[in-house]
Amino acid sequence: MSRTDRSGLVLLAACLGLFTVFVQTTQTIGTLGAVREDLGLDSADLVWVPSMYTLVVASVVLGAGAFADRWGRRRIFLLGALAMAVGGVVLVFAGSLSAVLAGQAIAGLGGALITPSSLALITNAFPDPRRRAGAISAWAATSGLGLALGPITAGLALRWSTWHTAFWLGPVIAALAAVAALLGVPESRVEGGRLDWPGQFLVTAGLALLIYWLIDGGHHSYVGGLPLAAAVGAAVLLAVFAVVELRRDHPLLDLRLMRDPSYSAALLLAATVLFGFVGLSLLQVLWLQQVRGLTALQVGVQLLAEFGTFILASVVAGILGRRFGAAPLIVVGLLLAAAGAALFATVEPTDAFGGYALSLVVFGFGCGLANAPSTALAVGHVPRGKEGAAAGTVNAARQVGAVLGTSVLGTLMTTRFEERLGALGRPRPQDVAQAFTDAVGHAASVGAVVLLCGVAAGACLLALARRRGGPAPAAHLPAPADGGAEVVTLPTADSRTS
């Protein structure tokens, strides 16, 4: 098999794997109403159905990147595909809340393993920075495709069958991703050094507590008993993690990389993109369902205007990135995303699709334009052989940004809505719709401000990097400082079945 054919299979496997990670998110949101009705859940229990998946992905994804570097990126990718398939099957046959949460947790583990390993496979298979940028753009576009098809598959399942049926898609695509990986994806890993087990425990536990605080606090209180204890525990564990990592020769997360302003900017911008994209998408889904009264399928179809332009912009970013570089695309993309969020903040309860379609298109295009370049900027500033760790770090930043987007913007919307309802006394249906719309507009405005602040902070860091004359891209950097050698093993008939 030629190198080009192997690269194509790597990209195919990585994109199929990432598709399962993101389709799971919006499938779950699209089926929430049916799950609540079928299992008789209250709001406090229902919130953990999508949150359990996010909690596991966000807390495990950083360590998963390091595992991929040391144990083999293809091996970790295959384990992730297996976990994603098993989690989907559990959801298909789930008949209780505990089974649903178990399925979401198993699928979350799969998502945490797939996300950094798929990106590491791409960066290893495409050493040329220009070809790598195009491949990462295609990989990032797949996330938009998954987000777009999730509500549609959920809506079709609810129309013709039950919510369980929607979750068959994940196992099928995960199986296809595994087949593509077994057929032609070479194994790659870094020889030398040891896994940082103390760092693994500290960062996983610290991130898990942090995400729990963000999720539970967003629906109850950030300063209430258990959430506050989780926040304090997260702060302590992550502080100890930083001290431990700075003293190790082979750290899980090389905090010294943060000295490079371009790398720090990439992490900040990646988190900002997902904060806006996931947070505002949640607001849009809620508004379309609660105010416009659309079904899950109708919501999915209308949001194709946003997710479709997200995919288109990801492709455009891959082309323009070769000419202009990542930084200008990220800045322009986030500015467009902020403009789209601000436009959506002006929506009215009586607006038809034509009244808010432009906001969806502008917002989706802006996020798509910034998403892939922010990831490419991060993995382009690490030494060869550290791709998995870098992928884990940038994806951990993305996941934390996504959780912040849903928890912060969701809390702002809920709080404003309750305030407006309390001031109305006995509201009429049109008053409730107006109050909900005003609350969504308030949260969307805050989202636009956060996007602008992210642009400003990222631009300052990138300007600082230019003044310092930042390091060369990863492909031109010397071998890893730990002396580890990059080992690439082409798949054989035996290795494909191992």
Side-chain angles (χ1 to χ4, degrees), residues 451-471:
L451 289 169
L452 291 175
C453 290
V455 172
C460 289
L461 287 171
L462 292 172
L464 178 61
R466 284 195 296 271
R467 284 201 297 269
R468 290 185 179 181

Side-chain angles (χ1 to χ4, degrees), residues 204-485:
T204 301
L207 285 175
L209 289 175
L210 174 65
I211 301 305
Y212 174 84
W213 173 67
L214 291 171
I215 293 172
D216 196 63
H219 293 276
H220 296 95
S221 171
Y222 287 109
V223 294
L226 192 57
L228 183 59
V232 173
V236 171
L237 288 173
L238 294 176
V240 174
F241 169 74
V243 173
V244 169
E245 295 302 282
L246 288 172
R247 294 181 177 180
R248 293 187 69 87
D249 294 331
H250 309 292
L252 169 67
L253 173 61
D254 191 352
L255 296 173
R256 298 171 185 84
L257 289 174
M258 302 296 180
R259 296 172 182 171
D260 176 8
S262 292
Y263 185 73
S264 298
L267 298 183
L268 172 64
L269 293 169
T272 302
V273 173
L274 266 290
F275 176 97
F277 189 57
V278 178
L280 198 70
S281 295
L282 173 65
L283 298 179
Q284 292 163 345
V285 169
L286 291 174
W287 184 80
L288 290 171
Q289 290 180 336
Q290 299 299 321
V291 177
R292 297 294 301 150
L294 303 184
T295 65
L297 179 58
Q298 290 171 328
V299 170
V301 171
Q302 289 205 1
L303 287 182
L304 284 176
E306 179 171 298
F307 296 135
T309 50
F310 178 93
I311 297 169
L312 174 63
S314 297
V315 175
V316 171
I319 298 171
L320 296 181
R322 301 174 187 178
R323 180 184 180 101
F324 300 107
L329 296 180
I330 299 170
V331 172
V332 172
L334 286 178
L335 289 175
L336 286 174
L343 281 174
F344 190 76
T346 65
V347 72
E348 293 294 335
T350 56
D351 284 349
F353 177 70
Y356 50 84
L358 179 61
S359 68
L360 302 181
V361 170
V362 173
F363 181 75
F365 192 86
C367 288
L369 201 62
N371 185 40
S374 65
T375 302
L377 187 64
V379 298
H381 284 79
V382 295
R384 180 78 167 168
K386 299 287 187 179
E387 293 93 343
T393 304
V394 70
N395 281 297
R398 285 157 55 91
Q399 290 297 328
V400 171
V403 173
L404 280 171
T406 55
S407 61
V408 171
L409 297 186
T411 300
L412 287 171
M413 185 273 294
T414 303
T415 303
R416 177 61 68 93
F417 180 53
E418 292 174 351
E419 290 175 353
R420 290 296 176 91
L421 281 185
L424 290 174
R426 287 186 171 183
R428 298 169 298 172
Q430 58 266 37
D431 296 329
V432 175
Q434 186 64 58
F436 195 90
T437 300
D438 291 344
V440 167
H442 170 68
S445 298
V446 173
V449 172
V450 171
L451 289 169
L452 291 175
C453 290
V455 172
C460 289
L461 287 171
L462 292 172
L464 178 61
R466 284 195 296 271
R467 284 201 297 269
R468 290 185 179 181
H476 303 294
L477 287 171
D482 61 8

